[in-house]
Amino acid sequence: MRNTLLYWLMLFASGTILWFWEKHDPLRQLEYKSVFIKEFTAASISFTYGIINTYTTWMLLGKILVFPANFIESTGLLSLPIWVRIIAAYILKEFLYYVIHRAQHANKYLWLTHCFHHSSNTVWWLSAQRVSLISAMLYTVSYIGFPLLQIPRQFMMFVLMHLAFQDNWIHLNVKWRPWMRILEWVYVTPRFHSIHHYDFEGKNLGDTLTIFDRLFSTYLEPDTYQLDPNQSASNNEPITAKMILGI
């Protein structure tokens, strides 16, 4: 529960700071007063999901991971330096996130778990929190490398803080700048992820790293993409209780 509260504290603290950048240099002009209530409501629902995840998904994973944990221990991987295991856990997390995210866009049934995230007309830092319950649970699975490789719980606080910042960062409503191109050799930027919301073809699926989009042909170069200034980011599907649950 403490980690959940820490995550949301970091999310709103970093989001508030990044919002000043949005206001100063917006990609699209937004009436924040008109969209704040909707997005804050969605974020409040996601906060509830975070608590559910803490006490259900992780508990179930703890039981499921007993056998693979024993196997990994027998391989000697746990004798590797902690920094090697941290890097390995992060790369595994990015790969599993990419696989889940790509499947959500490719499969009509898994799309039901993800379409709530794409129901917002606009992309800005708070819209990142439109996540269904089932989708939140699926993405939790991408973090299994951390307990399997016995990453200390103290370090997981930094992982959660980075996750909160990253969600805000990649959904920022800011103009595309040339320096972002340099970061995109490795790291997901706001313009990289904006394409994912406005393109609708399942491109630029990475969460933190761009490497798996490049390896598996889902990378769309922002410099070659012509963004329609009047295009909506919404999938135009009516928002229902089933959509919010992800079923």
Side-chain angles (χ1 to χ4, degrees):
M1 185 64 180
R2 185 182 66 176
N3 284 347
T4 301
L5 293 174
L6 179 64
Y7 169 85
W8 284 93
L9 176 62
M10 178 61 180
L11 185 139
F12 279 102
S14 62
T16 301
I17 294 171
L18 291 169
W19 178 70
F20 288 102
W21 181 13
E22 283 196 1
K23 291 284 289 182
H24 177 71
D25 196 29
L27 177 66
R28 296 182 172 197
Q29 295 297 328
L30 296 181
E31 291 293 335
Y32 286 102
K33 290 182 180 179
S34 65
V35 297
F36 177 79
I37 297 299
K38 291 181 179 179
E39 302 300 354
F40 184 78
T41 301
S44 299
I45 294 172
S46 294
F47 176 74
T48 304
Y49 292 166
I51 298 174
I52 293 173
N53 257 335
T54 300
Y55 291 103
T56 57
T57 310
W58 278 113
M59 182 176 65
L60 291 172
L61 284 175
K63 297 180 181 298
I64 295 170
L65 295 177
V66 171
F67 175 75
N70 291 335
F71 172 76
I72 288 178
E73 187 171 2
S74 69
T75 64
L77 288 174
L78 300 181
S79 63
L80 293 171
I82 183 63
W83 65 269
V84 174
R85 286 184 280 137
I86 289 172
I87 292 174
Y90 251 110
I91 293 176
L92 178 60
K93 173 260 175 185
E94 283 297 305
F95 176 70
L96 291 176
Y97 177 96
Y98 175 86
V99 170
I100 294 169
H101 197 185
R102 184 166 183 172
Q104 287 176 317
H105 281 268
N107 182 278
K108 65 179 182 179
Y109 298 108
L110 287 176
W111 170 250
L112 299 177
T113 71
H114 188 53
C115 59
F116 183 47
H117 183 63
H118 286 271
S119 63
S120 179
N121 292 324
T122 57
V123 179
W124 62 294
W125 74 266
L126 191 55
S127 66
Q129 302 313 310
R130 285 196 181 215
V131 182
S132 76
L133 173 60
I134 304 302
S135 187
M137 290 180 170
L138 287 174
Y139 286 134
T140 298
V141 175
S142 66
Y143 287 86
I144 61 173
F146 290 92
L148 284 176
L149 293 174
Q150 295 187 8
I151 306 303
R153 288 188 176 183
Q154 299 90 322
F155 181 80
M156 291 306 297
M157 290 191 296
F158 294 100
V159 174
L160 289 172
M161 291 173 69
H162 176 256
L163 173 63
F165 173 83
Q166 183 69 7
D167 273 350
N168 294 333
W169 157 257
I170 65 177
H171 288 89
L172 280 179
N173 174 46
V174 292
K175 289 180 181 177
W176 299 1
R177 297 301 182 186
W179 57 263
M180 294 182 184
R181 184 186 309 118
I182 300 172
L183 284 182
E184 285 160 4
W185 281 105
V186 178
Y187 200 65
V188 173
T189 68
R191 72 171 197 161
F192 177 94
H193 192 72
S194 290
I195 290 176
H196 174 71
H197 280 270
Y198 290 108
D199 182 70
F200 299 121
E201 293 185 4
K203 300 293 186 181
N204 294 7
L205 297 159
D207 180 40
T208 302
L209 303 177
T210 63
I211 181 173
F212 294 111
D213 282 293
R214 295 178 185 275
L215 286 175
F216 300 117
S217 302
T218 53
Y219 177 78
L220 184 57
E221 172 60 59
D223 287 337
T224 64
Y225 184 78
Q226 296 297 319
L227 180 65
D228 183 348
N230 299 313
Q231 182 179 347
S232 171
S234 173
N235 52 28
N236 294 320
E237 298 180 34
I239 298 177
T240 64
K242 291 179 65 175
M243 177 188 283
I244 295 172
L245 288 173
I247 56 178

